Amino acid sequence: MKRQYSLMLVVLLIAMLSACGKQTETKSAADKDAEQYEETESVETTEQVRQEGDNTMTGDISFNFETKTVLLNSGYEMPIYGIGTYSLTGDTCVESVTAALDSGVRLIDTAYMYHNEESVGEAVRNSGIPREDIFVITKLYPNQFADPEAAIEEALDKLDIEYIDMMLLHHPGDGDVEAYLAMEKAVAEGKIHSLGLSNWYVEELEEFLPQVNITPALVQNEIHPYYQENDVIPYIHSLGIVVQGWYTLGGRGHTAELLGNEVISEIAAAHGKSSAQVILRWNLQKGVVVIPGSSNPDHIQENTELFDFELTQEEMERINALDRGEKHDWY
């Protein structure tokens, strides 16, 4: 009887272990299915993020070619093309900025050293365009770093457009960290929305960034096919900082040669575009915001027509091969 009872216990135990094993197996399969679903959902979500709005991913920076904007690390959206106002002064500046705004441009770059902040502000105020739809960048020059608070107030007064969308330090100089910290205070007070730097490269950034609290939203450097900064751009992007180019068409004394470059001219002809448009589009596809300057309304309009064509990878590589490391200004 004891033997029979023991046998029954053994059979019962085996049955229980078998059931437990099946339950564990079933649970594992269910868990596996759930994990696979979650993984698939994650991949699909990632793909949607990449495809939505025809985004071009560049490091941590995404250009949206539908809205023609980029989301800055400050939380504000900035247009990815605009107009630079270096050498434009007085009525010429007002008329050029007005022509740009009439052509759909919403990004304007100025600076204390351009001596035209008043003219830029006048064009913005008289445009009839809502203030929040226009993005204005200005800069503090090193000779202002000794009293940055006064310099910021001066820029606000000259522009007279309620607030400054972005303020940059024009280039490194004595007191640049203290000037940047003063701009950080102006951000907290709502006077400035975003901060940035101009003419800062890898070495300068590595030294500068640990000393400030707000990561710059933008770095603006000389960039064109003869001076491409192919080692600097990815580094800046890796920090979550947008890159903007000045002298995008080569700069004074060099524009004609660059626009006449045989490779660029051939690519332009293939797309039915101008050499200037090809260079600007090349910049955009590299993740570089463009701000070409001009006082010619036709050229200003031409410089906005960058979104109805796309350069092939081969064409991008042909232009990349033109790099000479040839800087056209001392900054």
Side-chain angles (χ1 to χ4, degrees):
M1 187 70 177
K2 287 182 180 180
R3 185 178 298 176
Q4 184 177 5
Y5 179 75
S6 299
L7 184 60
M8 290 176 62
L9 285 176
V10 170
V11 171
L12 181 60
L13 180 60
I14 291 173
M16 289 176 63
L17 288 172
S18 177
C20 182
K22 287 181 179 179
Q23 184 178 10
T24 302
E25 183 179 353
T26 302
K27 184 177 181 180
S28 298
D31 288 347
K32 189 174 181 180
D33 288 341
E35 289 170 2
Q36 287 177 342
Y37 173 78
E38 289 170 2
E39 183 178 348
T40 303
E41 185 178 42
S42 175
V43 170
E44 288 174 350
T45 302
T46 303
E47 289 299 318
Q48 288 168 0
V49 170
R50 288 176 180 169
Q51 294 174 6
E52 186 177 11
D54 186 26
N55 285 347
T56 296
M57 303 299 294
T58 312
D60 297 325
I61 305 301
S62 302
F63 281 10
N64 188 316
F65 279 71
E66 285 189 359
T67 63
K68 304 170 186 175
T69 61
V70 60
L71 181 63
L72 302 171
N73 62 25
S74 59
Y76 292 93
E77 283 196 336
M78 184 183 75
I80 57 176
Y81 74 103
I83 184 171
T85 63
Y86 173 63
S87 80
L88 302 176
T89 57
D91 290 342
T92 300
C93 180
V94 175
E95 292 166 3
S96 300
V97 173
T98 298
L101 292 170
D102 289 344
S103 295
V105 170
R106 294 295 180 265
L107 171 63
I108 306 163
D109 179 76
T110 181
Y112 165 79
M113 281 301 290
Y114 299 171
H115 306 294
N116 61 12
E117 288 172 311
E118 297 99 330
S119 298
V120 168
E122 179 182 342
V124 170
R125 291 193 306 274
N126 295 339
S127 68
I129 299 169
R131 173 66 187 91
E132 62 272 17
D133 292 345
I134 302 176
F135 197 104
V136 177
I137 299 174
T138 193
K139 311 175 191 74
L140 297 188
Y141 204 70
N143 63 8
Q144 297 179 291
F145 292 173
D147 192 354
E149 292 82 4
I152 292 167
E153 292 302 324
E154 182 179 353
L156 286 163
D157 290 342
K158 286 181 175 179
L159 286 165
D160 191 20
I161 52 174
E162 301 176 34
Y163 56 86
I164 295 169
D165 294 278
M166 179 180 288
M167 180 169 275
L168 315 180
L169 298 184
H170 208 135
H171 62 76
D174 291 340
D176 50 17
V177 171
E178 291 75 14
Y180 192 92
L181 294 175
M183 296 196 307
E184 290 185 349
K185 183 179 177 183
V187 169
E189 294 169 346
K191 297 176 180 179
I192 303 172
H193 286 176
S194 303
L195 303 180
L197 303 168
S198 185
N199 305 299
W200 253 262
Y201 301 89
V202 176
E203 184 178 344
E204 291 86 352
L205 287 167
E206 288 179 342
E207 180 182 351
F208 184 85
L209 294 180
Q211 302 181 73
V212 300
N213 305 301
I214 298 177
T215 300
L218 178 139
V219 171
Q220 183 189 99
N221 287 341
E222 178 181 346
I223 299 173
H224 49 77
Y226 292 161
Y227 188 75
Q228 299 189 16
E229 291 196 13
N230 289 321
D231 56 338
V232 180
I233 293 171
Y235 171 76
I236 295 174
H237 283 164
S238 73
L239 300 173
I241 301 172
V242 171
V243 175
Q244 187 176 76
W246 55 266
Y247 272 7
T248 45
L249 300 179
R252 285 184 173 183
H254 302 276
T255 301
E257 178 191 356
L258 184 58
L259 296 183
N261 180 278
E262 183 178 352
V263 170
I264 294 171
S265 297
E266 287 179 3
I267 294 172
H271 289 276
K273 288 290 184 177
S274 69
S275 292
Q277 289 169 325
V278 165
I279 293 169
L280 295 174
R281 179 71 195 198
W282 168 79
N283 273 277
L284 292 177
Q285 289 183 212
K286 288 171 73 74
V288 176
V289 176
V290 293
I291 46 169
S294 178
S295 60
N296 183 319
D298 291 336
H299 290 168
I300 291 171
Q301 175 63 41
E302 177 185 313
N303 292 341
T304 70
E305 297 169 353
L306 311 174
F307 301 93
D308 57 350
F309 75 108
E310 183 176 358
L311 300 179
T312 66
Q313 185 60 39
E314 180 186 3
E315 290 168 337
M316 291 290 293
E317 290 172 359
R318 291 183 69 193
I319 300 176
N320 289 344
L322 299 176
D323 190 15
R324 303 174 180 174
E326 184 178 290
K327 216 170 186 310
H328 292 163
D329 215 323
W330 67 271
Y331 290 133

